[in-house]
């Protein structure tokens, strides 16, 4: 691990963050994500959040056909100014292999919890059916 000052990782004043800037931030236990050049910082999830993600991942693994994989907390980079780490994704086998995913996953899951409820990001592949969890209420 390389120690780096925040000033070294920060973009010049007035410029949006890029994935290159994001990759230079120190690994300090926080979750750093980018949405259109805006840095989003959140705390590590609680163990209750992680347990819920693990249980859901297990169900998804058991339900997915053989050509699809379920991955926990991957980096998903959509542009040079948008990268985030959903709790769970479902992807095609051919998309697995790099340090991060470069195309939208078939399914991206971000569990709601007090630490993550401020920002909800939904990735949808073209032609995918979208169902709101609030629709069942």
């Amino acid at each position: 691990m390389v120690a780096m000052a925040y000033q070294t990782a920060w973009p010049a004043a007035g410029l949006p963050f890029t994935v290159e800037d994001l990759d230079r931030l120190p690994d300090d236990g926080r979750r750093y994500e980018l949405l259109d050049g805006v840095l989003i910082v959140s705390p590590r999830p609680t163990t209750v959040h992680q347990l819920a993600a693990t249980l859901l991942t297990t169900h998804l693994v058991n339900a997915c056909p053989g050509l699809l994989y379920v991955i926990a907390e991957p980096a998903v980079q959509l542009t040079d100014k948008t990268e985030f780490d959903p709790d769970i994704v479902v992807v095609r086998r051919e998309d697995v292999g790099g340090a991060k995913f470069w195309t939208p996953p078939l399914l991206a899951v971000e569990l709601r919890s007090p630490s993550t409820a401020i920002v909800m990001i939904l990735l949808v592949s073209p032609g995918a059916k979208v169902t709101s969890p609030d629709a069942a209420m």
Side-chain angles (χ1 to χ4, degrees):
M1 178 164 87
V2 176
M4 182 173 296
Y6 282 97
Q7 295 83 356
T8 308
W10 234 247
L15 294 177
F17 271 86
T18 65
V19 171
E20 188 175 306
D21 299 323
L22 183 70
D23 289 342
R24 287 195 306 262
L25 287 173
D27 184 5
D28 61 1
R30 292 183 184 96
R31 186 173 178 178
Y32 294 98
E33 300 174 291
L34 287 180
L35 181 60
D36 292 330
V38 176
L39 181 66
I40 300 167
V41 182
S42 55
R44 290 189 56 77
T46 66
T47 54
V48 172
H49 182 102
Q50 292 172 322
L51 174 61
T54 299
L55 294 173
L56 181 55
T57 298
T58 301
H59 286 290
L60 287 170
V61 166
N62 292 332
C64 275
L67 297 178
L68 299 180
Y69 291 133
V70 180
I71 310 287
E73 296 188 41
V76 177
Q77 181 180 340
L78 299 180
T79 70
D80 66 335
K81 292 182 183 74
T82 299
E83 178 179 313
F84 41 95
D85 306 322
D87 289 310
I88 306 165
V89 297
V90 175
V91 296
R92 292 179 183 88
R93 181 174 61 187
E94 61 266 18
D95 292 334
V96 175
K100 52 181 86 171
F101 293 104
W102 299 90
T103 57
L106 298 173
L107 172 69
V109 177
E110 181 64 35
L111 298 174
R112 287 184 177 184
S113 67
S115 65
T116 62
I118 295 172
V119 176
M120 291 292 293
I121 300 170
L122 177 64
L123 292 175
V124 181
S125 296
K129 179 181 176 186
V130 178
T131 303
S132 168
D134 297 325
M137 299 288 184

